[in-house]
Amino acid sequence: MIRTSDLIEALVADAQPVRRLQPPVLRAALWLLLPALIFGLLALGQGVRPDLAQRLEQPGFVVGTAASLLTGVLAAFASFMLNLPDRSRGWALLPAPALAVWVATVGYGCLVNWVSIGPGGVQVGETARCFATVLMTSLPLSLVMFAMLRHGSLLPATTVALTGSLAVAAMSATAMSIFHSLDASVMILVWNLGTAALIVALGGLLGRRLAVARA
């Protein structure tokens, strides 16, 4: 049987330098640069929704859009805080107030009008274009988010995955509010949080093997 001192020496001999993570605020700020860049590219590529000026005069639209944006910022910050093993899981509640306001303002417009039939024949509806924009927005945000989070703690994996996905969903919904006439909030929440739940479920099934492989 190997002695404890020999085991420690063997572990120390094979140990690799550990790169310290950047502060959570800095990591969140770096991630938030990506949605800002995507918003800018969307504005250049397709422009804002034609009725944006009128919608900005409606308190409900302004409150809902601001709440989704704030939810994204706070959820991103919470994700990187939870990604550290010494931080309280109470950080998961940070975006809760903004999320409650946002959910209270969501609509269901993006769940209809997939295809329209007019004088020119069958045409792709606004919902199809809406879904394409959701995919183009949420996919890069998700990939970068989880690429940045994988270097942190694996212990609160479920909470980190859900808060990270909430940040992606909120930013995607903010983009849809600015660039599309239909409200895609419900579809975006189901898409992103449903994906996160699937990842968490798969992680629970394979987590022990992954942990052994990482070790």
Side-chain angles (χ1 to χ4, degrees), residues 49-200:
R49 57 190 295 174
D51 62 341
L52 182 61
Q54 291 80 8
R55 294 303 304 272
L56 289 175
E57 297 177 357
Q58 302 174 5
F61 175 81
V62 174
V63 170
T65 303
S68 65
L69 179 61
L70 184 59
T71 299
V73 173
L74 296 179
F77 180 72
S79 297
F80 290 108
M81 290 295 293
L82 293 166
N83 200 216
L84 300 178
D86 60 338
R87 303 304 164 95
S88 170
R89 295 196 179 185
W91 283 105
L93 299 177
L94 182 64
L99 175 63
V101 175
W102 174 31
V103 170
T105 64
V106 299
Y108 299 86
C110 209
L111 299 180
V112 297
N113 189 30
W114 279 96
V115 176
S116 61
I117 302 177
V122 178
Q123 297 178 347
V124 177
E126 179 66 17
T127 295
R129 292 188 289 270
C130 167
F131 183 79
T133 302
V134 169
L135 188 62
M136 289 186 295
T137 304
S138 61
L139 184 58
L141 292 180
S142 299
L143 291 176
V144 174
M145 169 66 78
F146 289 105
M148 296 176 69
L149 291 174
R150 68 186 179 88
H151 297 293
S153 173
L154 292 177
L155 296 179
T158 300
T159 309
V160 171
L162 291 177
T163 51
S165 297
L166 177 61
V168 173
M171 287 300 177
S172 299
T174 302
M176 297 305 302
S177 298
I178 297 173
F179 300 106
H180 278 271
S181 300
L182 296 180
D183 187 344
S185 298
V186 172
M187 185 179 71
I188 292 170
L189 280 170
V190 172
W191 174 272
N192 286 280
L193 296 183
T195 302
L198 178 61
I199 292 173
V200 169

Side-chain angles (χ1 to χ4, degrees), residues 11-63:
L11 293 174
V12 171
D14 296 333
Q16 299 294 326
V18 177
R19 183 179 179 182
R20 186 173 182 178
L21 292 174
Q22 297 292 335
V25 176
L26 178 59
R27 297 169 69 200
L30 291 174
W31 181 83
L32 289 170
L33 290 176
L34 181 58
L37 175 61
I38 293 175
F39 289 3
L41 292 176
L42 288 173
L44 291 175
Q46 65 184 41
V48 299
R49 57 190 295 174
D51 62 341
L52 182 61
Q54 291 80 8
R55 294 303 304 272
L56 289 175
E57 297 177 357
Q58 302 174 5
F61 175 81
V62 174
V63 170

